[in-house]
Amino acid sequence: MPRLLIIEDEPRISSFLEKGFQSNGYMTTVVRDGREASQMALNGEFDLIVLDLGLPGKDGFMVLEELRGQGIQFPIIILTARDDIQTKIAGLEGGADDYVTKPFRFEELLARVRARLRSFSPTGESEMVLKFRDITLDLRTRRVQVGDRPVDLSVREFTLAETFIRHPDQIMSREQLLNHVWGYDYDPGSNIVDVYVGYLRKKLGDGLIETVRGMGYRMLGQ
């Protein structure tokens, strides 16, 4: 199980990231202070860091410089609201492996995390295919099959299907699904989850996703 260190001082975003990564099978540790982040990264065993730049105590650039200076080799992805080209160049030249700007979509950040983990550790390839009942999801190529039949899913449909498959027989609330697939800044009053569940039922088969009244949805394991 990959271990991620999330260095983010905004509680709403750090909580969103933690829940999103945990729901995708990652172990997470959250740190909100730059000084504590450096100590945690140097003393702990992690596979990847998601690093904000605007941190109290010690900013993200200082954390990045210290970690690379101490020989830390695992991937570091900067996640920040700073979108000017000079800051991006400084971050990448300072040792970051990738740079994602806020606001962001979780599925894009998740794809970047997976890509960096694959490039850092080739053994991660075996985890890129999910199988559930007669459904196969290839996370690398984003190809889907139901039995021998290829199925075309949009990016959102694919991410929603993946979320359900990673949580068989578990009730997923609309809020959980909305946060994971569409992002923390999406309108909570939207019925987009219900619409996309309908799309998946048509494409993957009826009787697969159950509506649990007043609670959400559940993908049936049997």
Side-chain angles (χ1 to χ4, degrees):
M1 185 178 293
R3 298 152 298 180
L4 307 184
L5 177 60
I6 300 169
I7 306 174
E8 168 62 61
D9 67 323
E10 171 57 51
R12 184 170 66 103
I13 296 178
S14 62
S15 176
F16 168 71
L17 291 171
E18 186 174 32
K19 291 176 183 177
F21 284 121
Q22 287 179 356
S23 71
N24 280 275
Y26 295 85
M27 294 179 62
T28 60
T29 299
V30 175
V31 178
R32 297 186 173 92
D33 178 88
R35 291 192 181 91
E36 183 183 356
S38 294
Q39 296 175 357
M40 182 69 69
L42 291 170
N43 296 328
E45 295 184 356
F46 298 99
D47 298 296
L48 183 142
I49 290 177
V50 177
L51 173 66
D52 185 23
L53 293 180
L55 299 169
K58 183 188 296 182
D59 73 20
F61 280 118
M62 295 177 66
V63 173
L64 179 63
E65 181 181 7
E66 183 173 356
L67 296 183
R68 291 309 192 208
Q70 291 289 330
I72 293 295
Q73 297 297 317
F74 54 73
I76 298 176
I77 297 178
I78 290 176
L79 179 65
T80 180
R82 303 181 192 178
D83 61 356
D84 61 282
I85 189 64
Q86 291 82 5
T87 303
K88 290 181 182 180
I89 292 172
L92 294 171
E93 291 188 343
D97 296 273
D98 208 341
Y99 194 107
V100 180
T101 57
K102 303 172 185 176
F104 64 97
R105 295 300 182 192
F106 181 78
E107 67 268 20
E108 178 186 354
L109 177 60
L110 180 62
R112 290 172 183 259
V113 167
R114 286 172 172 159
R116 293 302 167 185
L117 288 174
R118 286 200 307 273
S119 63
F120 188 69
S121 176
T123 58
E125 287 294 330
S126 62
E127 301 175 359
M128 297 307 293
V129 177
L130 294 181
K131 295 186 177 181
F132 178 79
R133 295 173 63 165
D134 61 344
I135 302 171
T136 301
L137 267 65
D138 189 317
L139 304 180
R140 180 173 56 85
T141 64
R142 303 191 78 82
R143 292 176 180 170
V144 184
Q145 280 189 280
V146 178
D148 296 326
R149 174 176 60 92
V151 175
D152 184 26
L153 297 184
S154 69
V155 173
R156 299 280 196 234
E157 291 167 348
F158 189 97
T159 306
L160 184 60
E162 179 187 348
T163 302
F164 278 125
I165 288 174
R166 289 187 182 277
H167 301 85
D169 293 315
Q170 179 178 330
I171 298 174
M172 304 290 291
S173 70
R174 286 175 175 82
E175 182 181 2
Q176 285 177 306
L177 296 171
L178 184 67
N179 284 343
H180 177 65
V181 179
W182 284 270
Y184 67 96
D185 57 345
Y186 208 85
D187 179 8
S190 171
N191 70 337
I192 195 72
V193 172
D194 308 275
V195 172
Y196 272 75
V197 167
Y199 293 160
L200 283 189
R201 284 170 170 161
K202 291 178 181 178
K203 294 185 176 184
L204 301 183
D206 291 332
L208 184 65
I209 302 174
E210 176 187 44
T211 300
V212 182
R213 183 170 296 183
M215 299 182 69
Y217 294 101
R218 171 170 54 199
M219 181 168 274
L220 301 175
Q222 300 294 332

